[in-house]
Amino acid sequence: GHVDAGATDDGVRRGIETLERDIADVVRSFGKTCGEESAVVQVSLLRKTLCSKYHVDWVPLRVMVTYFGDGTEVLSAAASDAITRARALGPFAEDLAKSLAATTASVDRFGGECDVVLMKGERWPGNAGRAIVHRSPDVDGDAGEWRLCVRVDAPRWVNPATNE
């Protein structure tokens, strides 16, 4: 739940401890799911849109949890398939398919607050060309909007230079 801004120090501390426990639980579950003993965890307070374009992740698995704000937008299977087919025709066709998906009702909004979104990426065995197509929702930081997100990846699939 949310912690009231006027909460006592003890209330804020309990809220932070609850968040820490939940993130630890998510990381443990991720490790069990993909057989990893460790994970790269990124906690982000976002005051702007992080990934505004639809894309796939070039990892086997990724977990996203939005603790505050709108969750990750995931395209329907039909829209994802159309983008995958367009990718084979080249970058222009892929970008066009993504733009069409963005303007139609093809988004299955996953990831409400505190929902765990486990996404198969391009490197999941047998999943090449079938990764989940998704993006970050729009965030208007000038209007006071923000998101608190956690991303979990296996260390061997994260490039430390780009953190992608």
Side-chain angles (χ1 to χ4, degrees):
H2 299 288
V3 177
D4 183 2
T8 64
D9 287 346
D10 189 49
V12 171
R13 189 177 307 107
R14 283 195 314 268
I16 292 171
E17 289 169 354
T18 299
L19 180 62
E20 288 174 342
R21 279 193 306 274
D22 193 71
I23 292 171
D25 288 344
V26 168
V27 171
R28 275 192 290 278
S29 295
F30 175 81
K32 288 178 185 176
T33 300
C34 62
E36 294 288 338
E37 293 184 15
S38 62
V40 175
V41 180
Q42 179 180 0
V43 180
S44 302
L45 176 62
L46 304 169
R47 296 183 185 274
K48 63 180 183 173
T49 305
L50 182 62
C51 301
S52 61
K53 294 185 178 184
Y54 284 110
H55 64 280
V56 297
D57 293 327
W58 294 89
V59 297
L61 286 175
R62 172 167 287 160
V63 168
M64 291 293 300
V65 182
T66 302
Y67 286 98
F68 185 85
D70 291 336
T72 301
E73 294 179 1
V74 178
L75 288 182
S76 66
S80 291
D81 289 345
I83 290 170
T84 297
R85 287 191 303 275
R87 186 180 307 140
L89 300 174
F92 177 77
E94 181 181 6
D95 287 345
L96 180 60
K98 289 176 181 178
S99 294
L100 288 172
T103 59
T104 62
S106 56
V107 173
D108 290 337
R109 185 176 287 275
F110 275 48
E113 288 184 356
C114 299
D115 287 348
V116 176
V117 179
L118 176 65
M119 297 183 287
K120 284 184 182 177
E122 283 291 314
R123 291 186 172 150
W124 181 259
N127 204 51
R130 298 183 344 186
I132 293 176
V133 180
H134 62 283
R135 71 177 180 184
S136 298
D138 290 332
V139 177
D140 185 353
D142 293 335
E145 294 179 359
W146 56 281
R147 297 173 67 215
L148 177 62
C149 302
V150 170
R151 183 176 86 183
V152 183
D153 289 302
R156 64 184 159 174
W157 295 107
V158 176
N159 180 343
T162 62
N163 202 20
E164 291 180 359

